[in-house]
Amino acid sequence: MSKLTFPNNFVWGAATASYQIEGAWDEDGKGESIWDRFTHTPGNIADGSSGDVACDHYHRWPEDIELMQSLDLQAYRFSIAWPRILPRGRGQVNQAGLDFYSRLVDGLLEAGITPFPTLYHWDLPQDLQDEGGWPARSTAEAFVEYADVVTRHLGDRVKHWITHNEPWVIAFLGHQIGEHAPGWQDWPAAIKASHHLLLSHGWAAPVIRDNSPGCEVGITLNFTLTFPASSSPADVDTARFFDGYMNRWFLDPLYGRRYPADMVADYAAQGHLPAEGLAFIQPNDWEAITAPTDFLGVNYYTRVVLSAESRPQDQLEPASQATGLERTEMGWEVFPEGLYNLLNRLHFDYQPPKLFITENGASYSDGPDDAGNIDDQRRLDYLRQHFTAAHRAIQNGVPLAGYFVWSLLDNFEWAKGYVQRFGVVWVDYETLERTPKASALWYKDVIARNGLAND
Ligand code: FCB
């Protein structure tokens, strides 16, 4: 029996996001967010649900900290709801919102759990949306104001900050595919949104550092590796295009390479650029976007296998070819090798000083048996295989510093509603009772031994 041990000081945690767990959507002075508006508009969410109540974490956070403590989690990645802090997006500060996160941070620290907040996990104040949202440069300015307010209040205690979660999803799933809030199908708007997200990250990073001495700042990107279904030039080109669209479009500018030339050419040829081309980019933007960061957050779930036919005429989402490999209930192929490939690629191609896996996990709806136990063996297997892949990458020299399982709790899975369950802890949505699944108890053991028994 061999054993895989992770480096000393490796951080084991779990992640959530404000809109997916908090509920209390209009309490204590919180403003409306684009996700409130989107879910309250019929037809947008598969099961017609919303995050109005979600896991009620806003009221149950002390219990959730106890839960994390019972699992020996070392760190907790959560997000801060911008409209709780600045209900109109900018200007007037809502002290009750700051107090909520301040109490949460204090509670975590008392429990010995390191807070890793994300400033933006998609719940933009609706008022900013009404002024143009992320396609407007003024939203990037408002983000800096918001980041300043939050980090001035929490920066003494929080020492790990993530600016944005998954700019691809915000920009393209939200503005081009339209499956997420604000639900647009507008390529030029999506491209502008992506730029303003990166810009706001770069502008905020030095502000966060000033307010939070000695802190580490990073951004979280989602990665989907794209494999060609065959070696035909058309399939290879399709994989190149979608790699540019999902991965390089964000990585390249952050690491000083500006937008990938092949993608700018493709977008221009396909008529996707704004009428003025890239004139919305100002000369100093590049320097801002490349603001030094301390780590890159990596969200990894799956890969896609693409042929020329998987590129739909209307350029919406690419469809992954059947490979025969297992898929989770999201329809996402289980491909742990991709995590190993990805971590190596990020390290050898872009050299971030350090990496954290800020999300990795699987949707399986296994629920309680007659005795109340939840045997989510498939999630446990998924995590074990991905931990093993991460360990191999570390052996290869990748400076991976921690791992956050998605998710601590079953929660509101955006456009899919509550049907998809990613939690290592089961949530009964009738009673809101939490029950650790087998995967959570196994994870506790992984944390205790700082690795895998490999048995
Ligand atoms: C990621 C999101 C996260 C969750 C997982 C399944 O794209 O960051 O909130 O929905 O997917």
Side-chain angles (χ1 to χ4, degrees):
M1 182 172 92
S2 61
K3 188 167 170 290
L4 300 183
T5 303
F6 282 70
N8 291 336
N9 303 323
F10 194 80
V11 176
W12 296 102
T16 62
S18 49
Y19 188 73
Q20 295 181 276
I21 65 162
E22 285 180 0
W25 76 280
D26 63 350
E27 278 183 49
D28 294 343
K30 177 181 165 292
E32 186 188 18
S33 82
I34 58 172
W35 273 93
D36 295 317
R37 181 69 63 91
F38 192 69
T39 57
H40 294 159
T41 307
N44 287 331
I45 309 302
D47 59 1
S49 64
S50 76
D52 288 3
V53 176
C55 306
D56 194 34
H57 170 78
Y58 187 77
H59 299 113
R60 291 167 196 251
W61 61 269
E63 181 193 332
D64 288 337
I65 291 180
E66 280 172 29
L67 178 67
M68 290 184 239
Q69 219 175 359
S70 77
L71 298 175
D72 292 336
L73 293 184
Q74 298 166 343
Y76 175 47
R77 175 175 180 240
F78 59 99
S79 78
I80 295 177
W82 185 343
R84 282 197 199 284
I85 309 295
L86 294 157
R88 317 290 309 263
R90 57 165 78 82
Q92 185 233 327
V93 173
N94 178 35
Q95 189 60 41
L98 283 171
D99 291 346
F100 168 70
Y101 293 108
S102 193
R103 285 192 296 266
L104 177 66
V105 163
D106 287 344
L108 288 166
L109 291 171
E110 274 162 34
I113 300 167
T114 307
F116 272 68
T118 302
L119 288 168
Y120 188 70
H121 200 130
W122 311 352
D123 34 7
L124 186 72
Q126 181 64 39
D127 280 6
L128 292 180
Q129 184 62 43
D130 295 342
E131 292 170 26
W134 286 110
R137 198 173 168 94
S138 55
T139 298
E141 290 160 4
F143 177 78
V144 182
E145 179 179 333
Y146 159 62
D148 183 36
V149 171
V150 172
T151 56
R152 263 190 288 124
H153 282 81
L154 303 180
D156 54 337
R157 287 155 289 158
V158 169
K159 295 299 171 191
H160 299 85
W161 294 97
I162 297 167
T163 52
H164 288 297
N165 179 67
E166 304 191 346
W168 178 84
V169 171
I170 303 162
F172 290 94
L173 209 57
H175 298 82
Q176 175 242 320
I177 296 171
E179 188 182 314
H180 276 191
W184 295 8
Q185 293 193 347
D186 179 338
W187 267 101
I191 289 170
K192 284 186 173 176
S194 64
H195 184 69
H196 297 139
L197 284 158
L198 290 170
L199 188 59
S200 67
H201 153 81
W203 279 343
V207 174
I208 298 170
R209 285 190 203 290
D210 278 354
N211 291 337
S212 183
C215 73
E216 297 191 342
V217 185
I219 186 169
T220 282
L221 303 181
N222 57 298
F223 297 102
T224 305
L225 294 184
T226 63
F227 287 70
S230 80
S231 58
S232 79
D235 289 359
V236 170
D237 192 59
T238 304
R240 176 211 44 92
F241 176 84
F242 283 106
D243 180 53
Y245 165 73
M246 292 193 281
N247 306 318
R248 289 182 288 123
W249 188 258
F250 296 92
L251 273 172
D252 282 12
L254 285 170
Y255 290 94
R257 302 179 193 176
R258 306 194 177 189
Y259 293 117
D262 61 320
M263 298 310 295
V264 174
D266 279 3
Y267 288 160
Q270 294 162 9
H272 294 334
L273 293 181
E276 76 271 27
L278 294 179
F280 61 90
I281 302 175
Q282 297 184 13
N284 293 336
D285 291 0
W286 299 116
E287 199 188 324
I289 291 172
T290 54
T293 49
D294 302 287
F295 64 87
L296 175 65
V298 176
N299 289 0
Y300 175 80
Y301 291 93
T302 191
R303 66 156 176 183
V304 286
V305 178
L306 301 171
S307 71
E309 292 76 53
S310 29
R311 189 167 174 173
Q313 286 303 312
D314 57 2
Q315 293 291 337
L316 294 180
E317 250 175 320
S320 188
Q321 303 292 299
T323 57
L325 293 182
E326 183 188 339
R327 291 183 184 235
T328 68
E329 290 178 21
M330 286 292 273
W332 295 349
E333 188 185 273
V334 178
F335 193 66
E337 184 73 12
L339 180 59
Y340 173 75
N341 297 157
L342 172 65
L343 290 172
N344 281 293
R345 174 182 178 188
L346 294 172
H347 173 56
F348 292 109
D349 247 21
Y350 294 94
Q351 299 269 308
K354 155 154 113 169
L355 298 107
F356 286 99
I357 293 171
T358 41
E359 287 181 27
N360 172 247
S363 172
Y364 291 110
S365 56
D366 307 299
D369 62 18
D370 291 346
N373 297 320
I374 300 152
D375 181 11
D376 60 337
Q377 185 65 39
R378 292 175 298 176
R379 177 175 295 100
L380 191 160
D381 288 342
Y382 179 99
L383 291 173
R384 187 193 359 240
Q385 292 173 53
H386 286 79
F387 291 172
T388 304
H391 186 268
R392 277 175 61 212
I394 294 171
Q395 301 313 111
N396 243 13
V398 175
L400 183 69
Y403 208 116
F404 292 81
V405 167
W406 185 270
S407 178
L408 174 67
L409 302 170
D410 290 335
N411 59 48
F412 177 76
E413 179 46 38
W414 309 111
K416 315 278 189 229
Y418 292 98
V419 177
Q420 299 291 337
R421 290 177 177 267
F422 277 91
V424 292
V425 173
W426 174 266
V427 176
D428 177 328
Y429 291 117
E430 303 276 302
T431 62
L432 295 171
E433 198 187 330
R434 283 90 158 118
T435 311
K437 305 178 189 178
S439 60
L441 304 175
W442 169 83
Y443 189 35
K444 177 177 173 154
D445 187 56
V446 170
I447 296 170
R449 63 176 86 226
N450 193 28
L452 303 174
N454 212 21
D455 45 11

